[in-house]
Each structure stands twice: as C-alpha cells, then as structure tokens.
Amino acid sequence: MTVNSASTSFVDRHIGARREADVDAMLKAVGYDTVDSLVDTAVPKDIRQDSPLELTAALSEVETLTELRKLAAKNKTAVQMIGQGYYDTVTPPVIRRNILEAPAWYTAYTPYQPEISQGRLEALLNFQTMVQDLVGLPIANASLLDEATAVAEAVLMMRRANKTAGQKSGAHDGKTVLDADCLPQTIAIVKGRAEALGFEVEVADLSEGLPDGVINGVVLQQPGVSGRVFDHSEVIAAAKERGALVTVAADLLALTLITPPGEQGADIAVGSAQRFGVPLFYGGPHAAYMAVQKGLERSMPGRLVGVSKDSTGLPAYRLALQTREQHIRREKATSNICTAQALLAIVASMYAVYHGPEGLKAIAETAHGHARTLATSLKAAGLAVRHASFFDTVTVSVPGKASDFLAAAEAKGINLRGIDADTIGISTDEATTDAVVADVLAAFGAAVADAGSDAGTDFRLDAAVERSSDYLQHPVFHTHRSETQLLRYVRKLSDRDLALDRTMIPLGSCTMKLNATAEMEAISWPEFASIHPFAPDSQTEGWRELIADLEAQLTEITGYDQVSIQPNAGSQGELAGLLAIRGYHHSRGEQQRNVCLIPASAHGTNAASAVLAGMKVVVVATAADGTIDHADLNAKIELHKDALSAIMITYPSTHGVYDADVREVCDAIHAAGGQVYIDGANLNALVGLAQPGKFGGDVSHLNLHKTFCIPHGGGGPGVGPVAAKAHLAPFMPGNAADPANGADGTPISASKYGSAGVLPISWAYVKLMGGRGLTDATKSALLAANYIAARLNDFFPVLYTGEGGLVAHECILDLRELTAKTGVTAEDVAKRLIDYGFHAPTLAFPVAGTLMVEPTESEDLAEIDRFITAMISIRAEIDQVAHGDFTLADSPLRNAPHTAAAAISTDWNRGYPREQAVFPVHSLKQDKYFPPVGRIDGALGDRNLICSCPPLSEFEN
C-alpha cells in the first residue's frame, strides 16, 4: 500500500490513516512491518486474485464531476406526464438542501440506538402519522422499498393473516386476486413472488365484481393505472363476505380528495410517497408505505416507530417490535426486508409538514383541475376519453394514431404514456402548468375548451368517492409553514442525533464510512434526478451508459460474469440471487432441488430470503472457532444431496474472519450438484484482494450502501446488486414494467434499474479511487480493524481470529465473562459510549453479549484512538463495579446515557461524580454531545405500541 506524507489525491483523503507515521504506529501495535505482510497473513493465499483490478486510473474530483456532467448532458429532461406510479414533484429547496443533501441526515445510521436517534425517529413518526391519516388506517410503518414490492409484501401478509381468519371459508388456501387496473410492474412483481412460493394469482377487472373461486386476498388500485377512480366499498364488502382480506394500493396525494381505503373497509393500504417531494430519480429510491388495521401490526414488514419513556419518564421514540428483525427470527421472519427508505420517507414527511393539509389539498386540486381541463378539451375536439371519474390521469383513445401524438408531444418536450397503438395516458402533477396543458392539447391538434363548456361536468369525481374526513390535524403539520420555521425544525431534529458527520460510527457488518461530497453532488442534478423510469431510450443515454459502466466495474471487482443493479436493498439482492439459482435448477429439470444450507452464523436475512425463494432452510452448525462445522456440513450434504439447491455463506464470515476453508466448502457443494451463494455484505474486505466469483461463488449480492459509499440515510436508501456467473445470467432480474423485455428472470424491483438515483455515488467512488485505490482501501480497513483488536484485546477479548491471530475488516469484542462477573452488559457499554460522543458498535450480533466493531478505512488514527480511549475508560468503570466502588445499579454504566438535564439536576445523589458522568475524558469538556433523552425502556415501547404523533404536551416537563 503506497503511503504519502501529504494528502494530495482523493485516495489520500478517503483513506483516513494514510500518513506514513500513522501507518507505522498501527503496524507496530499489530506486530507487522508492512501492510502487505499483514494482508498476506490474514487473507488465505488460495483465494487471492492473480492480478490487480483492471479499472481505469483514479480520477480527481474535478475530472470525475466533469465526466458526470458529460453523462448528464446525454440525458434529455422533459415534462414528465407518463404516470404509471411515478410523477414529477417539486422538492422544496429548504428540504433538498437541508435533508437530502445534508450529511447530518444522509450519513445517519438505522435508529437501533434510539437515544441518539430522536431527531430522525420523530421525522419518521411524522411519516407514519401522515400515512395513517391519509389512508384512514391506525398503524403505518416507515417504510418499504417501492410500491410494487410493498404490494407483494401485503399479499404475503394477507396469506399469513388469513391462515386463521379464513379457516371457515377456506380462504387461507385461496388465490390472490389483483385488479386489472393495478400498475403493470406491481402485477409482474406479485406474480414473480407467487411463482416462487406456489400460490395462484388471478388478474381481473374488479369493477365488474369478484371472480369465482376461493379467494385469500384482493388487491385494488386507487386510482387505477388508467386513471379510473371508482367506489371500492362494494367489492371490499363482497371480498370480506367471502373470507378474503383486502389491500388497496393508493396514491397519497389523491387521498386528499378521495375517500381513504380504511374508510371503505380495507385491511391494508400500500403505495409510494414519491410525489411528496421526492425526485423521480429514474425510478428510485422512493419510500413506499404500508398501513394496516389493528391486529395486523405484529406481522407487518418494515420498521415501526413507537413511543416509550426514558429513565426519567420523558416520552421517547424507538423502533418498536424489534424482535421481528431477521437476525432474530431468521427463516420464521415475516419478511426478508432489513433496510427501508428512511431518508426518502423523511423528505416526504417534511414535505407534508411544510405544506400541511391545506397545501397538499391545493396541490391535488390543481393537478385534478388540469386533468379535467385536458379531458374536457380532448372530448370537445372529438376524442374519446375512457373514464369519466379520475384524479390526475386521463386515458384517451386515438385509434391507430398513438405513435403520432406521442411524437408530437415529445417534440414539445413532453412525455406521455403510450399504452398501445390506439391509447395514450396523460398524467398531471404538481409541476403541470396551464402552458403545459396547452402544449399537450396542441400535440393532439386541440385547444383549451371554453371554461363554460358543458363537457366539464362529465369529469367530476363521483360524490361516492369524495373525501369528507379530516387529516393531518396534529400540530406538527400546522406549525412549520414558513421556511424559517421549517429550517429551524429540521436543524433541531438533526441536532438531537449522532451521525457520521460528527463521529465515527464503528458498526460491524454495516460499514459506515466516508460518503464524499464529490460522490454525492450529482444525484440532485436535474439531468439525473428528473428523469422518468419509463422515459424513451432516446432521452436516457447518459443514465444507461453510467449504469452499464458501473455494472462492468462491479463485474471486474467481483470476478463474476454479469451484474444487475436492479435490487434496491441487500435483502432484495439476496432474493434475486436465490431466484436465479432456482431458475437454473428448474431449467435443468431439477425442480426437486429446494434445500438451502445456511450456517448458523449467517446474516439473518439469508434465511428469510431463502424462504421467499421457495426454498427449505437447513441450518449448518458453527464450530467453536466460528468456522463452519465440516462434520455437520458433510452430513447435511449427504442427507439432502438429491434436493440440495444452494448454500449461503458470508465471506469474510459474519464473525469477521477470513475462513481458510472457503474453497473446500464451495467444492463440496458443487460436487453435490448445488450452487454457492456468497453474501457480499463484507465485500469491502475483499475488493482488490480476492474475487468471490473466482474462488467458488456462483452468485453474490453486493451492498453499494456499504462497500461503495452510498450513505445509509438513517436506514436507506440501499442498493443490493446481484452478480452471477455466466450459467446463471439468463435468470437475472427481468423488467417488471415489461416482463417480456430482455431477461427470463423474475423481476425484483418496480423499475428496471431499481434505485438508480443514487448510483452516481458508487460510480464516482470507483472512478475516484481506481483499482489501486480500492485495493489500498481494503488493506487499510484490515489494518484499522486489527489495530483496534490488538489495542483492546487485553480489555475486551476478541472472540474470533483467523490466521496469525488476525481479523478481517471487523472484530467481535466478547463481554460475556465480564457480564458474568459484574453484571455489566454489552448494552450498558453501548449506552455509555454515547456519553463519549460515539455511536455504539453492533450490539449482540452475531453473538449475544458481544460488540462487533468495524472502523472502516476512512477513519483516521486520531479518531480510532479516541474510540479506543473511550473503551479503555469504560473498562475501568467496569472494574470499579467489580471492586465495589459503586453498585451496578448506581454506576455510570447502568445510568448511561446522561442528559444535560440529569447533569445539572439539583438532586444529584448518584454514587459517582457529575464530571465522571458527562466528562469521562478531558477532551469532552470542549466538544460534548448530550443525548436528548436518557435510556429508553424498550419493553414498555413494545407493550404500549403507539404509532401516531403524541401531542406536544406529552414532551413537556
């Protein structure tokens, strides 16, 4: 690894411990003379790649942004009136700059440590409240990945919930019925999930009533993709009578004018919050939502924010029902979804906070008014408008002339939806103006009809579907209307949190590293952000070139033959890879191969994904040293050899070690006719050193939000590309919007390129680093992790090590013996670290009673040493408990974290001084983070599930 004495390149600025003196100090602590000798010992020789990565040389920030500008210029911006689930919107600049582009928000981690996440949790609770109010259901999550996959989750949830509710009618075994007016991509996604799990899906026009047969669940769309709005109450009642549950996929903006699904009797509502200020982003990332009737919340996928109390009785937010997380429930998890779209949900929630109910309704009324003007004028011009009741989408019949009118509109800079040769769809939105309406009509050879035309009366919403109930009545949606007030509200919330912009986040498995500003800069450029996912190819050349280039770079890095960036989360990449394996076996006539072996130490989503892919999970034991138990592996292979489909392994292992036997494991599976899935969550320990596609893997998913610098955003966006060998390539994800286009594989996400909007980040990262820089980053991550392990091992023993006593990119600190002696838990240490200004390491995963630490390559030695100092100081406090200086209950560990209010309280009567509580090390006296709440009662939060915003008075002392 080349080390410079002065930082002159991007690589030097990305890698924190880059100076020669710092590297030498770290090497001395680890006991090696060079970084390469450390790497050569840690990484098994038989998996090392033969040659350096064949990537272009590293570019400077200026050069990279210049190249991005060239790509952006190849895209053509247009007025987007395609609809089909995606609409133009106006992101208020105060939200764009201070949330979407603000590191305090986009570098935050998932709020598993709630005391340091109160700001983002409040914003997410606002999102839930917004959804609950608009859809008319009592419980909502925050959030899901996109609308189509949210519908698929609802379908699976209806099938689970109806196992008991439908016993009498037999509906628990019945088919799922989708309205023919559902979004095409939704129908494709649901059919794909159903095929893997073996249940029937029927598509029917539900405005004509329910089809015959036993029905488990029904999915309606409001408004339909054609624009049609009709009263769902009768079909919902009929479905209930037949023992079915009902989901409505609903447009949140339309629901300001239309009767909400909950008031019509629906059990579940799902949809997208994209048009609440979130750019089109060429298809994503966009926050989807789900809301349910009471009684369904414990099987609801995604994240749920609730309200508990802290140690002083102050109301405090937390993620509720966390036992549903996949790393606990594994193959019994209700969903494989691990991440969310938190950053985009926060943007959408602030859009609602800013506009309030009156503002949202005004936007909806304007869009509806423009649609009515179009329909009235087209009808006056002699064209047939298909539906009389619609919200924002007009479907017009133009026999044989669709291509002509589409071309005429495109010539005016407007994209319309070509449904078939005889039909066009036109969708209005917040960005539609009178001038745009006039241009659309001109493309049809029509003009704006006289405002007094009688035709206008034909296109009013039916009275039966007009909303009469109130929504967004909580004060938060009425308080922050001026930009000044919203700016201060956003700042207040971000100040409550700890994100990567203020401190190292040493989370093992989750790789919280630098998200460089130059990498982030392009995502909000209009040439990237304002492109509709179904825009003509002639307008998206830059996007498609960037994506193809990124896929090629990832192919080279991983050693596979093909990459698809469609999956919009790591869990979805897992599912895509397993479905590719399933498709491969089926193509060979080996449908019986459905057993998936999963080591006991694996990421929890692995088992849940295998179940969703229609596989049977068989757990392989872990040996005492953390490796796979080969006796058990061989026994399971022999037992299931005729049914063996795959094994899922994580490499380096979930224990943070390069297992030396990985080739042996791969060979054994291949010999039995199975495929090897290598979970790429830890790819940042391999880049430039070893390629999973060349040491035994058949397919892997990658986490661009880990290894390749897309920020976590408080729990999303994520991108989880799937990489495969050539024999699996035909089964890679297909295009949900056009399932016949290109691939035979099952579509995974609603749009062909998933969360394309954040791909410029990873593209830029690879260009800025080059092959040599990426390899140096991997080596530096290994050095940093081993430095921490060496420095802390005498205080908190490192649980697992590999060759030479080394770890990979992370290490597990074992507190179990200390807990047995003193009662101090890993959670106590996690909470005490808050007082030192740190986010905790990963708590209790993959081993209960431990902390998993990952420093990443982007932390410098001073910050790493600050963390080590904090941990050593905490160990001294544990020793004070052991020596009886104070009891555990009266210790700074059990009472952590300490708020400012607690520190200045006049009734301080604890067994340790205030200074030890809040300034345990001297440096904190100048720069100190105080959490807004004390330790939160997690059990109380689960027993008292509150999902709507409490009144502000609840937070007053």
Side-chain angles (χ1 to χ4, degrees):
M1 183 174 75
T2 302
V3 180
N4 296 331
S5 58
S7 293
T8 58
S9 71
F10 176 83
V11 174
D12 296 320
R13 292 188 292 276
H14 175 82
I15 297 175
R18 188 71 166 168
R19 291 181 300 176
E20 187 171 359
D22 292 345
V23 173
D24 287 345
M26 296 168 75
L27 285 169
K28 183 177 180 180
V30 178
Y32 283 81
D33 294 330
T34 67
V35 175
D36 284 337
S37 62
L38 183 151
V39 171
D40 288 341
T41 302
V43 185
K45 290 181 173 54
D46 69 341
I47 71 166
R48 293 289 296 272
Q49 61 192 68
D50 298 329
S51 58
L53 291 173
E54 294 184 7
L55 300 173
T56 56
L59 302 178
S60 69
E61 284 124 314
V62 172
E63 291 169 330
T64 298
L65 289 169
T66 298
E67 291 301 308
L68 280 167
R69 284 290 184 193
K70 291 178 182 178
L71 290 170
K74 295 181 180 182
N75 295 326
K76 296 179 181 178
T77 59
V79 176
Q80 308 292 359
M81 303 185 77
I82 298 171
Q84 198 171 321
Y86 301 93
Y87 304 88
D88 211 348
T89 183
V90 177
T91 308
V94 64
I95 294 175
R96 175 180 53 79
R97 174 163 290 190
N98 296 292
I99 295 180
L100 187 65
E101 298 175 350
W105 290 95
Y106 68 68
T107 70
Y109 182 59
T110 304
Y112 292 137
Q113 293 291 334
E115 294 86 357
I116 56 174
S117 309
Q118 290 297 290
R120 75 199 82 137
L121 283 167
E122 180 169 324
L124 292 172
L125 191 64
N126 291 343
F127 178 86
Q128 290 179 182
T129 303
M130 171 191 83
V131 170
Q132 290 160 198
D133 285 3
L134 289 171
V135 304
L137 289 166
I139 300 170
N141 67 10
S143 54
L144 294 175
L145 301 174
D146 63 31
E147 179 168 342
T149 56
V151 173
E153 293 289 341
V155 167
L156 298 181
M157 191 166 133
M158 290 191 294
R159 300 194 69 80
R160 291 192 302 272
N162 223 356
K163 286 182 179 179
T164 54
Q167 288 288 349
K168 188 174 181 179
S169 66
H172 60 292
D173 294 321
K175 61 189 173 185
T176 296
V177 178
L178 305 182
D179 188 8
D181 214 16
C182 285
L183 301 175
Q185 62 266 29
T186 293
I187 294 173
I189 290 289
V190 172
K191 284 184 174 180
R193 299 289 199 273
E195 196 277 331
L197 292 172
F199 63 86
E200 181 184 356
V201 172
E202 180 175 343
V203 179
D205 182 355
L206 297 185
S207 66
E208 301 295 327
L210 293 169
D212 294 335
V214 179
I215 301 173
N216 171 280
V218 172
V219 179
L220 296 153
Q221 188 91 36
Q222 185 76 298
V225 70
S226 69
R228 178 187 63 177
V229 172
F230 77 95
D231 184 359
H232 287 157
S233 56
E234 287 189 14
V235 70
I236 291 174
K240 296 293 188 68
E241 182 67 24
R242 291 169 60 174
L245 296 176
V246 178
T247 294
V248 176
D251 183 318
L252 291 178
L253 188 62
L255 294 181
T256 63
L257 305 181
I258 295 172
T259 304
E263 293 180 16
Q264 293 195 336
D267 302 288
I268 305 169
V270 294
S272 172
Q274 179 266 314
R275 65 191 311 174
F276 278 30
V278 180
L280 285 161
F281 280 142
Y282 198 39
H286 302 141
Y289 71 83
M290 176 181 284
V292 300
Q293 294 283 13
K294 285 185 177 178
L296 293 175
E297 64 270 16
R298 289 185 179 270
S299 61
M300 182 168 58
R303 291 175 179 153
L304 187 66
V305 179
V307 180
S308 182
K309 293 184 182 296
D310 78 350
S311 54
T312 66
L314 186 71
Y317 307 113
R318 68 181 290 272
L319 290 181
L321 303 177
Q322 284 183 276
T323 55
R324 293 182 300 107
E325 289 296 327
Q326 292 75 19
H327 69 272
I328 296 174
R329 299 202 63 186
R330 301 176 64 81
E331 68 271 18
K332 294 181 181 179
T334 57
S335 166
N336 76 327
I337 287 177
C338 181
T339 190
Q341 297 285 23
L343 183 65
L344 298 314
I346 290 167
V347 168
S349 76
M350 289 301 177
Y351 181 91
V353 166
Y354 198 30
H355 288 292
E358 299 88 356
L360 293 181
K361 187 173 183 180
I363 293 168
E365 287 176 335
T366 299
H368 179 53
H370 282 138
R372 289 182 60 203
T373 298
L374 285 168
T376 299
S377 304
L378 291 168
K379 182 177 180 181
L383 296 172
V385 175
R386 183 169 293 179
H387 303 299
S389 181
F390 51 77
F391 167 56
D392 63 0
T393 297
V394 177
T395 300
V396 58
S397 295
V398 289
K401 295 184 178 180
S403 60
D404 294 338
F405 290 138
L406 290 170
E410 187 176 353
K412 293 180 177 293
I414 300 170
N415 289 333
L416 307 179
R417 180 183 175 221
I419 298 172
D420 54 39
D422 305 316
T423 318
I424 288 176
I426 311 166
S427 294
T428 59
D429 52 43
E430 181 183 9
T432 305
T433 64
D434 291 344
V436 167
V437 170
D439 282 345
V440 171
L441 291 170
F444 284 88
V448 177
D450 185 352
S453 170
D454 290 339
T457 62
D458 294 338
F459 301 112
R460 296 184 184 277
L461 287 170
D462 291 339
V465 300
E466 288 188 312
R467 181 169 193 147
S468 58
S469 56
D470 292 331
Y471 49 88
L472 304 188
Q473 294 304 295
H474 189 276
V476 75
F477 299 107
H478 297 263
T479 306
H480 309 290
R481 295 300 175 75
S482 73
E483 181 165 333
T484 303
Q485 284 302 102
L486 185 70
L487 179 67
R488 290 171 181 163
Y489 181 54
V490 169
R491 174 60 184 268
K492 179 177 74 172
L493 294 187
S494 66
D495 280 349
R496 293 177 181 173
D497 289 5
L498 268 183
L500 198 70
D501 65 326
R502 292 213 274 191
T503 182
M504 172 185 180
I505 302 181
L507 280 154
S509 184
C510 286
T511 318
M512 297 292 294
K513 63 180 179 180
L514 173 68
N515 316 121
T517 306
E519 295 160 8
M520 300 293 297
E521 192 166 340
I523 67 169
S524 53
W525 293 351
E527 296 88 348
F528 286 126
S530 68
I531 306 299
H532 195 287
F534 308 139
D537 284 352
S538 61
Q539 299 176 12
T540 64
E541 181 183 348
W543 258 127
R544 290 181 290 109
E545 184 176 329
L546 183 149
I547 290 167
D549 191 20
L550 179 59
E551 289 178 341
Q553 293 165 12
L554 296 176
T555 299
E556 165 64 18
I557 289 166
T558 60
Y560 285 106
D561 298 310
Q562 184 172 323
V563 168
S564 167
I565 53 80
Q566 185 184 122
N568 51 12
S571 62
Q572 305 307 287
E574 289 177 7
L575 180 58
L578 292 170
L579 288 174
I581 289 173
R582 182 178 185 272
Y584 170 73
H585 287 311
H586 283 214
S587 74
R588 294 159 56 87
E590 296 184 303
Q591 283 82 354
Q592 84 283 358
R593 289 193 177 273
N594 67 346
V595 168
C596 185
L597 303 181
I598 299 181
S601 62
H603 287 109
T605 54
N606 288 177
S609 295
V611 170
L612 284 184
M615 296 181 181
K616 176 184 176 183
V617 173
V618 174
V619 177
V620 178
T622 301
D625 64 356
T627 62
I628 291 175
D629 184 324
H630 280 265
D632 191 53
L633 173 66
N634 292 331
K636 297 289 172 60
I637 291 174
E638 179 62 27
L639 180 63
H640 300 288
K641 61 183 177 181
D642 294 330
L644 180 62
S645 176
I647 190 170
M648 297 184 79
I649 59 175
T650 301
Y651 202 83
S653 75
T654 314
H655 295 143
V657 174
Y658 294 99
D659 292 340
D661 61 355
V662 63
R663 279 192 179 272
E664 182 181 347
V665 171
C666 295
D667 290 345
I669 297 298
H670 288 145
Q675 297 285 284
V676 176
Y677 180 102
I678 297 180
D679 185 316
N682 294 338
L683 189 72
N684 55 309
L686 295 177
V687 175
L689 302 180
Q691 298 164 301
K694 292 186 177 177
F695 63 70
D698 296 292
V699 63
S700 292
H701 88 272
L702 328 175
N703 294 99
L704 299 194
H705 49 290
K706 294 184 181 182
T707 303
F708 295 94
C709 290
I710 293 174
H712 279 62
V719 180
V722 57
K725 299 295 283 185
H727 65 282
L728 296 183
F731 312 101
M732 296 284 266
N735 182 2
D738 182 9
N741 179 22
D744 297 325
T746 303
I748 294 297
S749 302
S751 64
K752 183 177 181 180
Y753 300 114
S755 292
V758 290
L759 296 179
I761 301 168
S762 297
W763 184 93
Y765 172 64
V766 175
K767 295 296 183 182
L768 288 162
M769 297 292 284
R772 185 173 181 177
L774 291 173
T775 305
D776 282 356
T778 305
K779 293 177 179 180
S780 185
L782 268 60
L783 175 60
N786 280 282
Y787 176 70
I788 285 179
R791 290 285 313 277
L792 289 181
N793 187 59
D794 290 341
F795 304 92
F796 302 96
V798 175
L799 183 56
Y800 296 114
T801 58
E803 292 295 326
L806 297 174
V807 298
H809 61 301
E810 59 194 4
C811 61
I812 298 175
L813 305 180
D814 191 356
L815 281 78
R816 291 174 296 179
E817 185 174 346
L818 285 172
T819 300
K821 290 180 179 179
T822 66
V824 175
T825 66
E827 183 177 14
D828 291 330
V829 174
K831 301 307 180 186
R832 183 59 171 146
L833 274 168
I834 297 171
D835 291 325
Y836 290 79
F838 282 107
H839 193 294
T842 301
L843 175 64
F845 177 80
V847 179
T850 69
L851 294 169
M852 185 158 62
V853 180
E854 180 177 355
T856 82
E857 75 274 10
S858 60
E859 297 298 343
D860 63 24
L861 181 57
E863 183 72 354
I864 294 172
D865 280 342
R866 190 172 75 89
F867 172 75
I868 290 170
T869 298
M871 290 296 291
I872 293 172
S873 175
I874 289 171
R875 173 56 199 265
E877 292 181 337
I878 297 174
D879 291 341
Q880 285 186 280
V881 173
H883 298 151
D885 295 349
F886 35 64
T887 65
L888 174 60
D890 196 33
S891 70
L893 293 151
R894 185 54 53 88
N895 287 289
H898 297 83
T899 64
I904 65 171
S905 174
T906 57
D907 59 353
W908 183 273
N909 57 4
R910 302 180 184 182
Y912 52 93
R914 298 175 200 258
E915 185 168 7
Q916 182 176 357
V918 297
F919 299 131
V921 293
H922 180 76
S923 61
L924 293 169
K925 291 186 176 182
Q926 184 170 6
D927 295 298
K928 171 68 181 177
Y929 166 80
F930 282 100
V933 295
R935 193 176 304 198
I936 295 172
D937 187 333
L940 175 66
D942 281 344
R943 289 196 306 269
N944 300 280
L945 189 60
I946 302 171
C947 298
S948 58
C949 291
L952 298 181
S953 60
E954 285 287 315
F955 296 88
E956 297 173 357
N957 291 325

